[in-house]
């Protein structure tokens, strides 16, 4: 039995314990590990490790001793409940041992869960599961999680209802983060909202999302982009005292103004353009940057990028000019540039 599309997530959330074996495979080891953990937890329920209802066998060990799996599924546990034998990182050479265990499996034996990396169409392990009448194959692709899957994770974390605006930002964020990092963030949201009956807000997602640059450097670039010259000096002195390198500030400014420029050129508008960036911009941060895009205009943003690139080249050259005054002068010049489309 080969699972396809939405069937994969539905089945792994509630695997059938009457089927002898499940193969989970894919190129992305983190995605496979997350799905494996979900399937095993659904089969065994809580406390499986403590109650010795979960047996782990490394694929390399099974290749050396092909009786390990068949013996493990027949063992009788001391505690009631579903037992699982997990074969992790199974190479193709384990196919004969897995086949022997499946053929010898009967109701009451432990369910077999096998994980593997990317398997080709000619893989013996893949052929075994795909052609078997009762075993299940779950290929895990590198697609980011969809809205239904994210909603299920949020529900498991204690959030039953999520407003559409917050869900939209979570879907956007899931495309930028590694699967493990995104799953950890969902769990963090659950802890943050524990006991809080108010809806999840985009601002809270932005607060909990991993930061890509130092917060104070981010604030400094916003001051520059918004022309708030009166706020520039005190924050610049604080950043300088922290020892942040001038080239780091310049890179952050280039990244920010490139994002503004890309958003200004997006046919769907600034909001859509910022959502399509990698990493994407979302929540209140997206609204703020969209206002900056509108204030600057395409031509002014091109001039700003040209000026920042020149400054970056100077900072990386063999010039003896003090570097902090170089970047400070460049940012002040940007903060004082006229705004508006031209």
């Amino acid at each position: 039995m080969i699972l396809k599309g939405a069937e994969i997530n539905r089945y792994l959330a509630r695997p059938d314990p009457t089927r002898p074996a499940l193969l989970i495979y894919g190129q992305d080891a983190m995605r496979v590990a997350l799905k494996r953990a979900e399937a095993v937890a659904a089969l065994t329920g809580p406390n499986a490790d403590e109650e010795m209802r979960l047996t782990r066998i490394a694929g390399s060990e099974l290749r050396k001793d092909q009786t390990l799996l068949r013996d493990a599924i027949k063992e009788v546990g001391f505690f009631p409940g579903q037992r699982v034998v997990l074969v992790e990182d199974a190479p193709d050479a384990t196919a004969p041992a897995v086949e022997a265990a499946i053929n010898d499996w009967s109701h009451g034996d432990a369910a077999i869960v096998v994980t593997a990396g990317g398997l080709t169409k000619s893989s013996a392990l893949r052929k075994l599961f795909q052609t078997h009448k009762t075993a299940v194959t779950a290929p895990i692709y590198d697609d980011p999680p969809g809205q239904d899957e994210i909603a299920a994770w949020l529900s498991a974390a204690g959030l039953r209802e999520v407003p559409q605006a917050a869900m939209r930002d979570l879907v956007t964020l899931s495309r930028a983060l590694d699967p493990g990092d995104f799953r950890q963030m969902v769990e963090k949201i659950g802890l943050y909202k524990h006991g809080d009956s108010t809806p999840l807000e985009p601002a809270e997602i932005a607060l909990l999302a991993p930061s890509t640059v130092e917060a104070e450097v981010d604030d400094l670039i916003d001051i520059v982009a918004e022309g708030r010259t009166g706020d520039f000096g005190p924050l610049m002195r604080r950043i300088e005292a922290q020892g942040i390198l001038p080239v780091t500030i310049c890179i952050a400014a280039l990244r920010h103004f490139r994002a503004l420029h890309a958003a200004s050129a997006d046919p769907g508008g600034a909001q859509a353009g910022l959502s399509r960036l990698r990493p994407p911009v979302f929540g209140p941060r997206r609204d703020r940057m969209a206002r900056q895009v509108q204030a600057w205009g395409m031509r002014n943003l091109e001039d700003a990028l040209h000026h920042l690139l020149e400054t970056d080249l100077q900072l990386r050259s063999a010039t003896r000019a003090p570097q902090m005054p170089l970047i400070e002068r460049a940012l002040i010049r940007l903060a004082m540039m006229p705004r508006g489309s031209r």
Side-chain angles (χ1 to χ4, degrees):
M1 175 181 174
I2 307 172
L3 300 174
K4 297 179 181 179
E7 292 178 340
I8 297 172
N9 292 329
R10 285 199 298 268
Y11 185 86
L12 295 182
R14 288 188 175 185
D16 184 355
T18 65
R19 292 183 177 271
L22 166 65
L23 170 65
I24 305 173
Y25 73 93
Q27 293 286 353
D28 192 313
M30 179 56 73
R31 284 185 168 89
V32 170
L34 287 171
K35 292 300 180 184
R36 177 261 298 159
E38 182 180 0
V40 170
L43 280 168
T44 62
N47 306 320
D49 274 318
E50 295 88 338
E51 295 176 358
M52 296 177 288
R53 292 185 290 108
L54 175 60
T55 303
R56 302 174 188 271
I57 300 175
S60 56
E61 294 177 3
L62 184 58
R63 185 173 56 184
K64 295 175 184 176
D65 185 352
Q66 299 198 0
T67 64
L68 283 176
L69 180 56
R70 190 161 50 179
D71 291 344
I73 66 171
K74 297 293 182 182
E75 288 179 357
V76 178
F78 293 104
F79 295 89
Q82 177 67 49
R83 293 183 302 112
V84 169
V85 179
L86 173 62
V87 182
E88 298 182 281
D89 300 320
D92 222 32
T94 60
V98 175
E99 183 176 17
I102 292 175
N103 290 338
D104 200 30
W105 188 90
S106 58
H107 289 287
D109 291 345
I112 302 167
V113 176
V114 180
T115 66
L119 299 176
T120 64
K121 290 183 179 179
S122 60
S123 160
L125 197 58
R126 183 171 164 181
K127 284 182 177 178
L128 165 64
F129 277 82
Q130 289 180 347
T131 57
H132 198 276
K133 292 181 179 179
T134 54
V136 180
T137 308
I140 306 301
Y141 303 106
D142 292 346
D143 302 328
Q147 183 169 325
D148 290 344
E149 192 171 2
I150 294 172
W153 291 348
L154 289 168
S155 179
L159 278 77
R160 303 295 178 187
E161 295 183 12
V162 178
Q164 191 58 41
M167 179 59 75
R168 182 180 63 243
D169 284 351
L170 284 170
V171 171
T172 300
L173 189 61
S174 73
R175 296 169 184 161
L177 296 178
D178 290 332
D181 291 340
F182 182 72
R183 189 63 183 268
Q184 285 181 352
M185 184 185 160
V186 170
E187 292 172 358
K188 189 193 298 184
I189 289 172
L191 291 171
Y192 177 80
K193 296 294 286 183
H194 180 70
D196 184 354
S197 59
T198 61
L200 179 65
E201 297 291 338
E204 294 173 312
I205 296 172
L207 177 68
L208 297 170
S211 181
T212 56
V213 294
E214 294 86 349
E216 289 198 330
V217 174
D218 235 2
D219 291 341
L220 181 71
I221 306 306
D222 278 330
I223 286 172
V224 171
E226 293 163 5
R228 294 187 284 121
T229 53
D231 299 329
F232 179 84
L235 184 54
M236 188 69 195
R237 297 286 77 79
R238 192 157 68 243
I239 288 173
E240 186 177 5
Q242 290 174 4
I244 296 175
L245 296 176
V247 70
T248 301
I249 301 172
C250 190
I251 290 170
L254 272 168
R255 183 187 298 118
H256 186 92
F257 277 87
R258 279 174 175 150
L260 297 183
H261 184 264
S264 71
D266 194 285
Q271 292 268 0
L274 291 166
S275 296
R276 278 192 272 267
L277 293 175
R278 292 293 178 268
V281 183
F282 53 91
R285 180 76 179 151
R286 180 179 55 204
D287 298 336
R288 184 174 190 173
M289 290 180 68
R291 289 193 294 270
Q292 293 172 9
V293 170
Q294 293 168 358
W296 276 83
M298 172 73 80
R299 179 64 183 276
N300 284 323
L301 286 169
E302 289 174 355
D303 291 345
L305 281 173
H306 178 73
H307 185 55
L308 284 169
L309 286 168
E310 283 187 344
T311 305
D312 187 52
L313 287 173
Q314 285 182 286
L315 291 171
R316 296 172 191 270
S317 70
T319 180
R320 293 184 179 180
Q323 291 199 335
M324 192 58 81
L326 268 177
I327 185 61
E328 185 172 356
R329 185 176 61 185
L331 294 178
I332 290 174
R333 182 176 172 184
L334 290 184
M336 298 181 70
M337 280 180 65
R339 306 290 193 270
S341 302
R342 60 183 177 88

